[in-house]
Amino acid sequence: MTSIFADFLLEPVRAARRVRERTPLGSALLAFIFAGCSLAAADAVLGRGTGFGGLAFALALACVLRLTTGVVMTAAVHLSAEALGGQGRAGPLFALMGFSDLGWALLPPAALIARALGRGAWTGVVLAAAAGLVVLALRARSVRLHYGFSRARAWTAVGLPYLAAAGLALLALGFAVWGTVHQLVKVFA
């Protein structure tokens, strides 16, 4: 029997079917933890991963944040997929989202290459954006296969939670600006 990770990369249709039949939650947890380790390793390579108590703390924090983000994003994507008419369970989606997060494993080798070439500070941002796009593409593929969506509907289901978060952030920023302006008007009026 082939590894579920290999199937996810090489035979995604078979992997989605296997995950629906028997959800490998342990493998999904390992994938999220490995993604967190990859992010912490890339930060360490780029010289940014030693704050707040050193590398061990950064590693543990990155793993916990990846897992927490995985749970929250799975719930948000599942809700948006259901709102778009999809039929599926959240457990298998959690596993597929974890496997999608393995795209972050591309970041440490890329960070090593960037550091060896002596690239500037923007290199980390570009590398993170590229790895993030790989992760988003894997998530959209996972949603497409799990819910039977078209590519456009899958990207919509994945993008809606991000758009909602951006909208809430803009709303919070607007309230903060309004509160500051309101207080300044009271002080100077």
Side-chain angles (χ1 to χ4, degrees):
M1 176 184 280
T2 61
S3 165
I4 189 69
F5 299 118
D7 276 353
F8 181 77
L9 292 174
L10 303 174
E11 298 284 340
V13 174
R14 181 168 61 172
R17 186 185 72 247
R18 282 179 61 187
V19 166
R20 274 193 306 274
E21 291 169 358
R22 185 166 173 241
T23 305
L25 291 178
S27 296
L29 290 172
L30 286 175
F32 279 117
I33 290 170
F34 186 74
C37 291
S38 296
L39 290 168
D43 273 349
V45 166
L46 294 173
R48 300 186 313 235
T50 56
F52 299 115
L55 184 59
F57 180 76
L59 182 64
L61 182 63
C63 292
V64 168
L65 286 176
R66 277 308 333 135
L67 187 56
T68 303
T69 303
V71 169
V72 171
M73 284 306 296
T74 298
V77 169
H78 178 67
L79 289 174
S80 67
E82 282 191 339
L84 292 170
Q87 298 291 320
R89 296 185 342 257
L93 180 62
F94 177 75
L96 292 170
M97 295 281 277
F99 301 158
S100 297
D101 259 21
L102 290 174
W104 292 116
L106 298 171
L107 209 47
L112 282 169
I113 292 169
R115 183 161 181 144
L117 295 176
R119 298 295 178 205
W122 280 101
T123 304
V125 174
V126 171
L127 293 174
L133 287 174
V134 169
V135 169
L136 283 175
L138 290 172
R139 285 182 179 179
R141 182 185 77 179
S142 296
V143 168
R144 180 176 58 84
L145 294 174
H146 182 61
Y147 291 99
F149 282 168
S150 66
R151 281 185 169 79
R153 187 174 277 185
W155 276 98
T156 301
V158 170
L160 282 175
Y162 291 103
L163 289 174
L168 287 174
L170 285 174
L171 186 63
L173 179 65
F175 280 131
V177 169
W178 179 81
T180 302
V181 169
H182 182 73
Q183 290 301 318
L184 287 172
V185 167
K186 284 171 92 176
V187 167
F188 292 111

